[in-house]
Amino acid sequence: MLIIDAHSHLWLKQDTVVDGQPIHSLDSNPSRSLFFGEERQMLPPFMIDGRNTAEVFLSNMDYAQVGGAVVVQEVIDGNQNDYLEEVQRRYPERFFCMGMASSLDEAQKVYEKGLRGIAIPGHRIKTPLTDLIPMFEYMQEKSMILSLCLHEDNHQLREVDEIVRACPDLIIAIGHFGMVTTPNWMDQVRLARHKNVYVESGGITWLFNSEFYPYPSAMQAIRQAADEVGIEKLMWGSDYPRTITAITYRMSYDFVIKSEVLTDSEKEAFLGGNAKRLYGFDRIPELPYIKNMSE
């Protein structure tokens, strides 16, 4: 089965400031970070240099037989545009990398770098998303894709509706499965009733972490969303690497394969088919299963 990850992260160095608070890898243990005033396990403990690189991710992808990955950005990791330009150039068949921008001028620079998408962590933005409509119009003109995570209180839903009216051909992928464990998550999912809006499940194992593998409630949520907007509007995402501090990368999708909640054809669409069509992955290599030493 073709597997494509629609929500992942890469960075060379995590060192930034958000809302006046530093976020950076710890010198004493670079797999951990100072995160809004507390120490957090930001990376799996074997990633000991604080670098979340494409090469390490590719090793995980090959092991888990994940053919391609969409790389989005988050302000907590700092701007990674320069690094992702390099990743896109070196591994075009495996990655669709998104830039970070907050103005028309910045979006133009992202496009000039060869990146064909922009990721906006809207849940961390205090100004209206509609202020960015000139940028979104440029993205629509250039056939760029917008990755958009929204605040869990859903105050941005009307803003997204306005963006869709202004840019009806701009492809938008809503992240974190609409913040699925919050009370009104289906309101975000219903944005996919617009022809140009999709929903990806990046972070779903984090949101259902208290339940843990094999995440039966997550599967019920995927079923509910599919019944509401159609499986063709939904995509799997892992939120790598933060989510694999708790589980392996393969576990972040094989709970879907092993579940009987979706049909085989629905699994194929959700786990890779929809993302292949949307992001244009057309040169993914075959990834044979390699037996573990423990087998």
Side-chain angles (χ1 to χ4, degrees):
M1 187 183 297
L2 175 67
I3 311 293
I4 296 175
D5 189 341
H7 187 120
S8 65
H9 299 275
L10 294 173
W11 63 80
L12 276 185
K13 184 178 182 181
Q14 188 184 53
D15 186 8
T16 190
V17 176
V18 178
D19 294 335
Q21 299 191 64
I23 299 174
H24 59 79
S25 301
L26 298 178
D27 292 337
S28 58
N29 185 342
S31 70
R32 299 177 182 177
S33 293
L34 178 66
F35 181 75
F36 292 113
E38 65 175 324
E39 183 176 329
R40 299 290 290 271
Q41 189 72 44
M42 187 65 61
L43 293 170
F46 54 79
M47 295 169 68
I48 59 175
D49 60 0
R51 290 162 53 93
N52 172 33
T53 65
E55 289 72 25
V56 173
F57 191 20
L58 280 169
S59 181
N60 273 283
M61 290 168 65
D62 289 351
Y63 175 77
Q65 297 175 281
V66 174
V70 179
V71 182
V72 301
Q73 294 199 53
E74 234 277 30
V75 294
I76 63 173
D77 302 323
N79 188 309
Q80 303 294 323
N81 286 354
D82 290 342
Y83 178 53
L84 294 187
E85 175 189 12
E86 176 188 342
V87 171
Q88 188 68 71
R89 185 176 64 252
R90 293 180 65 184
Y91 309 108
E93 73 281 2
R94 303 297 298 276
F95 293 117
F96 183 104
C97 295
M98 295 202 170
M100 182 177 286
S102 58
S103 69
L104 174 58
D105 288 345
E106 291 177 2
Q108 292 170 332
K109 292 176 182 177
V110 166
Y111 184 79
E112 291 166 1
K113 286 181 178 291
L115 303 178
R116 294 298 178 259
I118 290 175
I120 296 181
H123 57 305
R124 301 193 191 276
I125 293 177
K126 295 179 173 60
T127 56
L129 294 171
T130 48
D131 288 356
L132 298 175
I133 283 180
M135 183 179 86
F136 298 145
E137 291 173 335
Y138 172 81
M139 292 176 64
Q140 177 179 243
E141 175 189 342
K142 296 298 185 181
S143 299
M144 300 178 77
I145 295 177
L146 172 63
S147 168
L148 183 61
C149 293
L150 301 175
H151 197 282
E152 64 184 55
D153 69 7
N154 283 352
H155 73 274
Q156 296 164 317
L157 295 182
R158 291 184 179 178
E159 296 172 17
V160 176
D161 283 334
E162 187 172 341
I163 292 165
V164 169
R165 285 194 296 272
C167 305
D169 295 320
L170 172 66
I171 300 299
I172 302 172
I174 304 296
H176 297 161
F177 219 63
M179 292 303 292
V180 60
T181 52
T182 59
N184 300 311
W185 67 280
M186 279 297 295
D187 291 335
Q188 290 193 30
V189 170
R190 291 186 185 101
L191 290 169
R193 291 174 174 172
H194 295 292
K195 68 178 180 63
N196 58 321
V197 179
Y198 297 76
V199 177
E200 43 90 345
S201 72
I204 198 168
T205 61
W206 148 60
L207 290 162
F208 284 100
N209 182 66
S210 61
E211 181 179 86
F212 207 64
Y213 187 91
Y215 309 106
S217 296
M219 287 306 308
Q220 292 301 321
I222 294 169
R223 177 75 270 162
Q224 182 179 353
D227 291 342
E228 185 77 17
V229 299
I231 195 68
E232 70 278 2
K233 285 303 195 81
L234 308 178
M235 299 177 289
W236 168 71
S238 71
D239 212 1
Y240 174 99
R242 283 179 267 267
T243 48
I244 65 166
T245 58
I247 56 175
T248 68
Y249 188 45
R250 182 182 290 274
M251 289 169 68
S252 67
Y253 75 80
D254 75 351
F255 73 95
V256 177
I257 291 180
K258 293 175 180 176
S259 171
E260 297 182 356
V261 171
L262 300 182
T263 67
D264 288 346
S265 62
E266 287 174 328
K267 292 174 185 178
E268 290 173 356
F270 178 69
L271 290 173
N274 295 338
K276 180 180 186 296
R277 182 181 69 254
L278 192 67
Y279 294 100
F281 286 96
D282 56 9
R283 292 187 293 160
I284 291 176
E286 291 188 14
L287 298 172
Y289 180 73
I290 305 300
K291 290 178 66 175
N292 291 319
M293 284 296 295
S294 59
E295 293 182 81

